Amino acid sequence: MYATVGHDDTGSIVVYGPHDTPAIAPNDGAVTVAICPAGAADGTTGTLAEV
């Protein structure tokens, strides 16, 4: 899963998604990031599970 992170006209951060495939963001400073699957990270510490 992927999400696109960018900003709106007020400068606030906005997140669009989830997407099944990486989205190509327009050249406006937005980035596409991978989202960890459920259970891959500890919700209290953010530590990723061992592969």
Side-chain angles (χ1 to χ4, degrees), residues 21-39:
T21 57
I24 297 173
N27 190 14
D28 63 359
V31 295
T32 299
V33 295
I35 302 171
C36 290

Side-chain angles (χ1 to χ4, degrees), residues 7-49:
H7 57 85
D8 63 13
D9 294 337
T10 67
S12 296
I13 294 173
V14 292
V15 179
Y16 303 100
H19 314 288
D20 290 331
T21 57
I24 297 173
N27 190 14
D28 63 359
V31 295
T32 299
V33 295
I35 302 171
C36 290
D42 182 320
T44 57
T45 65
T47 304
L48 294 177

